[in-house]
Amino acid sequence: NTLTRYQILNPNQSKTLLILHGWGQSSSAWQIVAGLLSKNYSIILLDLPGFGGTEHLAGSPSVPEYTQFILDFIKKLGLKKPAILGHSFGGQIAINLAAKHPKLLSKLIPLSPAGIRNKNRSYKKFKFIKKILPKAITKLILKQLSSIDYYNATPKHKQILKQIVVHDLTKKLSQIKSPATINWGSEDKEIPYHGKTMANLILNSNLVVLYGADHNPHLKSPQNLAQAINQNLK
């Protein structure tokens, strides 16, 4: 019961690649890359709930609810053993889906995925100084401590972010049975680098370092990324 926007390229192909975008973006950010990917795959560009043309999920959803949405979407379209490419937050969802449903996917392709969370004590300290400093100063400090995503988010998205940034998937990585290729930009400054950890914990996996790429190679160097993904799919 969620109005959903998606686009399918090469619809007559039997093999499917489902692309899940990152936080604050939409499937539109992947149009160029999608057009450069293997014509042997049906490519599905999906707007995640609350982004692009897809409605918000009810309540205050977190990773489990987004995962269920993707599972329902796969069943609704009758997709058989799709490969999933998930970027950042989309990667977090894809990893959780692969862990919960080991036989569902033919291939898992996380790109700079969120999922391994480091505890941050900065906010505990901030709660203390918030009580003793003027509001204008604490606002400036909050802007420095917060991610750009959180500071610019709507109230609805802030509720979701508070949950997903503490949702750790480390213990679930060993449950993944799908072949996995983890891609990570060497110049990514937005997501702490956990590529080696993930590759060590996911049994049938390998790690590809995208040298010179930042957190958004689909925007900055789409041709190089498409070439890497096409290799992932072989």
Side-chain angles (χ1 to χ4, degrees), residues 92-110:
Q92 187 175 15
I93 298 169
I95 288 170
N96 193 51
L97 180 69
K100 289 192 67 177
H101 304 277
K103 297 181 180 180
L104 182 68
L105 307 181
S106 64
K107 182 91 176 185
L108 174 66
I109 308 176

Side-chain angles (χ1 to χ4, degrees), residues 161-176:
L161 271 172
K162 286 178 181 178
Q163 297 184 79
I164 66 174
V165 297
V166 295
H167 195 100
D168 188 84
L169 298 176
T170 306
K171 294 181 179 179
K172 292 187 177 182
L173 295 173
S174 60
Q175 300 171 17
I176 295 173

Side-chain angles (χ1 to χ4, degrees), residues 6 19 35 37 39 48 51-52 73 84 129 148 150 152 208:
Y6 64 96
I19 299 179
L37 295 179
K39 299 301 187 288
L48 292 172
F51 300 98
F73 180 82
I84 290 191
I129 61 176
I148 294 174
Y150 185 83
N152 293 329
V208 175

Side-chain angles (χ1 to χ4, degrees), residues 126-138:
F126 177 73
K127 287 181 180 180
F128 172 74
I129 61 176
K130 185 178 179 182
K131 297 178 181 179
I132 61 176
L133 292 178
K135 187 175 181 180
I137 296 177
T138 56

Side-chain angles (χ1 to χ4, degrees), residues 22-85:
W23 183 268
Q25 299 184 8
S26 72
S27 62
S28 299
W30 284 86
Q31 288 284 347
I32 295 177
V33 171
L36 298 170
L37 295 179
S38 171
K39 299 301 187 288
N40 294 324
Y41 276 79
S42 175
I43 311 296
I44 302 181
L45 298 170
L46 170 66
D47 284 347
L48 292 172
F51 300 98
T54 299
E55 292 180 335
H56 275 288
L57 295 176
S60 182
S62 184
V63 175
E65 288 75 23
Y66 276 87
T67 302
Q68 184 62 47
F69 171 83
I70 299 302
L71 179 62
D72 292 341
F73 180 82
I74 290 172
K75 290 180 177 179
K76 182 79 172 180
L77 269 64
L79 305 180
K80 305 298 182 184
K81 300 284 287 186
I84 290 191
L85 165 62

